[in-house]
Amino acid sequence: LAQARIPGAFHAPLSDLAGAALPEAEKVVFFCASGNRTTVYADALANLAGDRDAYVMDGGIFGWFQAGLPVERG
């Protein structure tokens, strides 16, 4: 699952996110592999989201996959 993505999701490594232009959306959901890093950086990520509602996905991409939700590989 190291290279797994949620279909339709905007992908940017956490280390590059500060310089990334987030897509236009009313809500932003941040996630990493397990949810730990995004939880640690939740306040900083909320600041990046600006006026949008911002969320951190519990369990990250691993939790998404374990719930049987679709992923793309590569």
Side-chain angles (χ1 to χ4, degrees):
L1 281 177
Q3 298 295 319
R5 299 174 185 227
I6 295 173
F10 170 77
H11 177 77
L14 189 58
S15 59
D16 296 338
L17 201 53
L22 297 177
E24 292 296 320
E26 292 180 23
K27 299 176 185 175
V28 180
V29 178
F30 294 100
F31 63 92
C32 60
S34 68
N36 291 333
R37 285 175 296 146
T38 49
T39 298
V40 168
Y41 294 103
D43 290 339
L45 295 170
N47 286 336
L48 287 175
D51 293 337
R52 296 173 265 204
D53 292 337
Y55 304 91
V56 170
M57 185 170 59
D58 264 352
I61 191 75
F62 292 131
W64 179 273
F65 179 77
Q66 288 177 336
L69 298 167
V71 295
E72 296 174 340
R73 307 278 182 163

